[in-house]
Amino acid sequence: MSSLDRFAQAKLDDLARRNQYRRLTETLREHGIWVERGGKRLLSFSCNDYLNLTQHPAIKKAATAAIELYGVGSGASRLVTGNHPLYAELEARLAQVKQTEAAVVFGSGYLANAGIIPVLIGRRGLVLIDELAHACLFSGAQLSRGTVITFRHNDVAHAHALLREHRAAHDHALLVTDGVFSMDGDLAPLDALLTVANNFDAWLMTDDAHGLGVIGGGRGSSFAGNTHVPVPLQMGTLSKAIGAYGGYLCASAPVIDLIRNRARTLVYSTGLPPSAVAASIAALDLIEREPAYAALPVQKAKAFTRSAGLPEAQSPIVPVIIGAEEATLAASQMLADEGFLAAAIRPPTVAPGTARLRLTFTAQHSDDQIARLAGIVRDRILAH
Ligand SMILES: *Cc1c(COP(=O)(O)O)cnc(C)c1O
């Protein structure tokens, strides 16, 4: 065995010992909420396809039409020849939804975060980030080469104290948080965070991957509860409720212009396939036309938490925290035997000792399906 393979095998053995080894499972997603795995049909409570738009006929049609018109791939970086005509329309629509001057679309949410943060923060800068923020925000923060400090989850007073202590030693500061936390489903206190950020001339950036399309009438977490918090940097993805692929940032015109010039993951990466951009536009159309439909995933999640005896859901994401990896895998398997797909989420995706089932609710889950899942979770998982 070469030293390279020995290295890989030792790492894999270590993961397996800790029940943290992961494998890719072939999954067929043919109809909205149903998946097929290993010949078995399961009702999925693990997709981020909150509005079931990945299979929506009108959206598939828009994607197919774009392929016919513009081809399959975009052929180059957007700054060379990859900037097909659909981009401008999508960016205008996103800016309108988020009520910002401008928007820019990236290849994915991960690429957006890896690209945006280093443009705004350099070696002498400060990134203050919620400890439970998404992995790709941490990647972007690390790439900035600035000082990265975490604040306790949703703890505004802690963020305030850290800014008071560290802000003066840095040229610029970015305060970074998920709008909806991807593994916990709770919302960030954006109003209070914006006030703190403004007090110290720090720039607030939200990652709204799980907000767009499902929170605040579909506009996202800065519009939750009929308020509008004017967050200056609103990032998100087109791969969850929107059902397609891609990432974006909504911000002021000069900020977006700077990002277009300087974000390495935009400049040095190929533009999205036209079909993904067309699908996103069609999805935004649908959400705008049908805000009642966009409200369904959160309503379904609330019905579940009521019935399972859990704290009320704030988003379509509901964690059922079990703790140990092995017990979480066993619970996931038990639910699979009952016909449900409920993925086990383990460290390092979540903190050690907080392995969980991460349940997601979508517009098309029926009340009966939710009640049956809630009964099993209540009686056979939480009762232990
Ligand atoms: C999924 C996710 C991303 C990454 O988006 P992709 O488009 O899938 O790369 C970023 N942030 C959060 C909070 C996410 O949940």
Side-chain angles (χ1 to χ4, degrees), residues 29-33 47-63 212-214 218 238-245 275-276 278-290 293-294 297 362-364:
R29 298 183 58 247
E30 275 181 302
H31 309 282
I33 51 181
C47 303
N48 296 320
D49 187 11
Y50 302 119
L51 299 174
N52 315 104
L53 298 186
T54 61
Q55 308 285 344
H56 193 284
I59 294 170
K60 287 205 248 185
K61 212 168 131 195
L212 180 65
V214 289
L238 304 166
S239 65
K240 284 156 189 169
I242 301 299
Y245 201 65
S275 52
S280 298
I281 295 168
L284 289 173
D285 281 341
L286 186 140
I287 291 163
E288 190 181 313
R289 271 199 320 272
E290 301 184 38
Y293 186 72
T362 77
Q364 286 175 20

Side-chain angles (χ1 to χ4, degrees), residues 45-236:
F45 284 94
S46 288
C47 303
N48 296 320
D49 187 11
Y50 302 119
L51 299 174
N52 315 104
L53 298 186
T54 61
Q55 308 285 344
H56 193 284
I59 294 170
K60 287 205 248 185
K61 212 168 131 195
T64 315
I67 290 177
E68 292 300 336
L69 204 58
Y70 301 111
V72 175
S74 72
S77 161
R78 295 186 60 192
L79 279 92
V80 184
T81 59
N83 195 44
H84 49 79
L86 296 168
Y87 267 113
E89 187 182 344
L90 177 57
E91 289 176 344
R93 292 293 301 273
L94 286 166
Q96 186 194 359
V97 166
K98 298 286 189 179
Q99 296 185 14
T100 58
E101 283 176 356
V104 58
V105 169
F106 286 79
S108 74
Y110 200 117
L111 287 171
N113 281 333
I116 295 162
I117 298 176
V119 174
L120 303 174
I121 295 294
R123 283 181 195 280
R124 292 186 296 131
L126 171 67
V127 181
L128 212 60
I129 180 167
D130 188 290
E131 61 185 346
L132 296 188
H134 194 264
C136 61
L137 285 168
F138 280 92
S139 297
Q142 294 300 341
L143 285 169
S144 79
R145 304 186 207 190
T147 303
V148 181
I149 302 177
T150 55
F151 62 93
R152 286 189 295 271
H153 177 52
N154 277 351
D155 189 336
V156 180
H158 193 215
H160 183 276
L162 289 171
L163 276 171
R164 194 171 45 205
E165 186 181 346
H166 297 283
R167 175 66 183 91
H170 297 88
D171 60 353
H172 304 295
L174 197 63
L175 186 57
V176 182
T177 183
D178 286 17
V180 178
F181 284 85
S182 58
M183 297 298 136
D184 293 79
D186 52 344
L187 307 186
L190 294 184
D191 207 2
L193 284 175
L194 183 61
T195 303
V196 167
N198 287 342
N199 280 344
F200 291 93
D201 187 28
W203 307 322
L204 180 62
M205 173 173 173
T206 53
D207 177 335
D208 213 23
H210 300 278
L212 180 65
V214 289
I215 303 284
R219 289 175 184 270
S221 58
S222 31
F223 297 84
N226 295 322
T227 57
H228 174 215
V229 183
V231 176
L233 299 156
Q234 300 177 62
M235 170 274 163

